[in-house]
Amino acid sequence: MSLGIEVNNKKIGGMLEYISSRIPNVSLRKLLKIIYLIDEKAVLERAFPITWLDYYAWEKGPVSPEVYEVKNGAFSDFVYCKRVESDNKWSVFPKKNAAFLVDKDMNYCSQWEINLINRVLEDCKNKTADELTDETHRSESLWSKVVRNNKIDFSHDSKTDYLLDLNALNEGNQLHLDIYEDALDSVYMQSLINKESCFSQAR
């Protein structure tokens, strides 16, 4: 389980709900691309991601397995997924219909994060999943580097266990590297607090 799920489960759920409310009938594949691009842009701009999800090099691009599981009922308090007959693709829909309830679930995000999410959505909303795949597959992207460096062959399996280290985007920027490490320490600490709280409640 990624740190993102341990620490930011409600935050991630609210983000998925928000995205699916802003892009009606968003395909699961497109949603997977958007959530990655949000974290990628956050690292490029402030040194650390919004979700702290783990992303792996799959054939169609970086994928968070936890978000992929939306297809099987993950984040069911926030979104649901169904196969749409018109195109036979899995699409994701917000659980809540009222905009103010969707926006309320974004309270776990800072205003800076919401602004960044909105910028990514504006850029992605009219692009197809294939076009977003091209973006994550650009020659110098993190996904492409992981595929090249590990000589990944997708002819046998479209999924791999090769992790994309988002902190690699900070290489060459010592300030960003330091900020990332400080932020990661905070996330680890929150994870320990959450585990201790769950343990105390279970006793």
Side-chain angles (χ1 to χ4, degrees):
M1 179 184 293
S2 70
L3 273 174
I5 298 300
E6 291 181 10
V7 177
N8 294 327
N9 194 52
K10 291 182 178 179
K11 182 176 186 177
I12 295 166
M15 286 174 61
L16 297 177
E17 181 181 56
Y18 185 80
I19 294 166
S20 61
S21 72
R22 268 35 182 201
I23 305 179
N25 303 321
V26 63
S27 70
L28 176 58
R29 186 175 158 216
K30 183 171 179 175
L31 178 65
L32 288 163
K33 301 288 178 292
I34 291 173
I35 202 76
Y36 170 78
L37 289 170
I38 287 170
D39 272 339
E40 180 185 73
K41 194 167 190 65
V43 174
L44 291 171
E45 292 191 9
R46 72 168 183 187
F48 60 95
I50 293 177
T51 71
W52 293 97
L53 286 165
D54 287 338
Y55 296 96
Y56 294 87
W58 289 12
E59 183 176 13
K60 297 296 185 179
V63 172
S64 161
E66 288 94 350
V67 176
Y68 182 78
E69 282 301 305
V70 163
K71 185 166 68 170
N72 298 314
F75 298 101
S76 58
D77 289 340
F78 302 93
V79 293
Y80 65 96
C81 190
K82 68 178 182 179
R83 193 180 290 276
V84 177
E85 293 182 5
S86 59
D87 56 13
N88 201 34
K89 294 179 180 178
W90 289 98
S91 292
V92 182
F93 304 86
K95 203 69 174 283
K96 303 176 184 68
N97 293 322
F100 78 93
L101 291 176
V102 173
D103 291 346
K104 184 178 179 181
D105 284 337
M106 288 292 283
N107 287 343
Y108 292 95
C109 291
S110 69
Q111 189 58 54
W112 185 91
E113 291 171 336
I114 292 172
N115 291 341
L116 181 140
I117 291 167
N118 285 336
R119 282 189 282 132
V120 174
L121 290 181
E122 184 63 28
D123 182 61
C124 293
K125 66 180 181 181
N126 295 320
K127 294 179 180 178
T128 65
D130 285 338
E131 288 172 330
L132 295 180
T133 294
D134 290 341
E135 188 169 337
T136 60
H137 284 40
R138 60 195 186 276
S139 62
E140 292 307 309
S141 72
L142 191 54
W143 179 92
S144 293
K145 290 178 180 178
V146 169
V147 171
R148 278 198 307 271
N149 293 342
N150 294 283
K151 298 181 172 59
I152 299 175
D153 179 6
F154 292 111
S155 62
H156 302 296
D157 195 345
S158 63
K159 302 176 184 178
T160 80
D161 293 326
Y162 288 99
L163 184 67
L164 277 67
D165 180 10
L166 284 170
N167 194 28
L169 297 171
N170 291 322
E171 289 179 0
N173 187 330
Q174 190 58 51
L175 176 60
H176 271 209
L177 289 170
D178 292 342
I179 292 172
Y180 181 94
E181 290 304 317
D182 288 344
L184 182 59
D185 286 344
S186 295
V187 174
Y188 272 125
M189 181 61 68
Q190 187 60 53
S191 173
L192 292 174
I193 292 171
N194 289 354
K195 288 177 181 177
E196 179 62 28
S197 176
C198 289
F199 177 74
S200 299
Q201 291 175 13
R203 285 188 297 183

